[in-house]
Amino acid sequence: MASSSHFTPDTSSSRSCKYDIFLSFRGEDTRKTFVDHLYSSLKQHLIEVYKDDEALPRGDSIDQSLFEAIEDSQMAVVIFSKNYADSSWCLDELSHIMRCKEERGLIVLPIFFDVEPSDVRNQKRKFGEAFAKQMAANVTKAEIWRKALFNVGNIAGWESKNIADGG
């Protein structure tokens, strides 16, 4: 992990983590394109990355394994795409990421892949349509998810439209 010390604010005061980066993304939108390229590039730079299809132990409870991996990471990179909010798994993952940000200082870096930060923050346009479906199906979690989306939408991140060849 020494090679990635530039990702951690102060490694002397932070606890040792198994992963440098936890990747949160909607598989059907970005797994075989952006996420696979990002993952490969990070691994080439000897950065320890948690990506569910590479690191999730077979036979484990998915939610518990994901939450433990988030807790055992220095940073979470959340790749928001148009259908990210169409997954209750992604929304639960995001809520846990934001809880870890507040409770233990997890660094959160959002990437807005073909969506605007304001779409995430305010659940608008295609992103909002996807969120509305989950909100209707999971009324008890809706407010927790909405707060997490609002808070992460206020974090400075990368927007694909501002990156060369990003759309």
Side-chain angles (χ1 to χ4, degrees), residues 60-112:
D60 278 9
S61 168
I62 294 172
D63 57 346
Q64 190 57 40
S65 291
L66 290 174
F67 291 169
E68 288 172 6
I70 291 166
E71 293 163 12
D72 211 8
S73 298
Q74 291 284 338
M75 172 187 279
V77 174
V78 185
I79 299 116
F80 289 103
S81 55
K82 289 178 180 170
N83 293 306
Y84 183 93
D86 195 31
S87 166
S88 62
W89 286 104
C90 288
L91 294 168
D92 284 343
E93 204 173 89
L94 176 65
S95 297
H96 196 72
I97 287 168
M98 296 307 286
R99 187 175 319 114
C100 288
K101 178 185 185 316
E102 294 301 315
E103 292 176 1
R104 65 172 201 81
L106 178 70
I107 298 166
V108 178
L109 177 64
I111 297 175
F112 302 97

Side-chain angles (χ1 to χ4, degrees), residues 7 77-78 109-113 115 117 155-163:
F7 282 117
V77 174
V78 185
L109 177 64
I111 297 175
F112 302 97
F113 188 81
V115 295
I155 297 173
W158 280 303
E159 296 178 54
S160 62
K161 71 176 185 174
N162 295 332
I163 300 169

Side-chain angles (χ1 to χ4, degrees), residues 15-152:
R15 65 185 182 91
S16 177
C17 290
K18 185 175 180 181
Y19 303 103
D20 295 312
I21 297 175
F22 178 93
L23 293 178
S24 176
F25 58 95
R26 179 74 166 132
E28 68 184 44
D29 288 352
T30 60
R31 182 184 310 275
K32 296 297 177 195
T33 55
F34 180 77
V35 172
D36 280 351
H37 293 295
L38 175 62
Y39 177 78
S40 294
S41 181
L42 292 169
K43 292 300 279 184
Q44 285 175 350
H45 287 88
L46 304 177
I47 296 170
E48 288 300 319
V49 182
Y50 183 96
K51 181 174 164 250
D52 62 1
D53 62 340
E54 297 289 332
L56 186 64
R58 301 300 171 227
D60 278 9
S61 168
I62 294 172
D63 57 346
Q64 190 57 40
S65 291
L66 290 174
F67 291 169
E68 288 172 6
I70 291 166
E71 293 163 12
D72 211 8
S73 298
Q74 291 284 338
M75 172 187 279
V77 174
V78 185
I79 299 116
F80 289 103
S81 55
K82 289 178 180 170
N83 293 306
Y84 183 93
D86 195 31
S87 166
S88 62
W89 286 104
C90 288
L91 294 168
D92 284 343
E93 204 173 89
L94 176 65
S95 297
H96 196 72
I97 287 168
M98 296 307 286
R99 187 175 319 114
C100 288
K101 178 185 185 316
E102 294 301 315
E103 292 176 1
R104 65 172 201 81
L106 178 70
I107 298 166
V108 178
L109 177 64
I111 297 175
F112 302 97
F113 188 81
D114 212 16
V115 295
E116 300 285 328
S118 62
D119 293 349
V120 172
R121 184 172 44 251
N122 301 311
Q123 299 88 56
K124 298 292 182 194
R125 293 192 263 277
K126 177 82 169 131
F127 190 90
E129 291 170 21
F131 180 71
K133 290 180 204 169
Q134 287 304 319
M135 197 172 69
N138 298 281
V139 176
T140 58
K141 294 182 178 182
E143 196 53 40
I144 294 166
W145 291 341
R146 186 184 306 281
K147 181 181 177 194
L149 289 166
F150 179 81
N151 289 338
V152 78

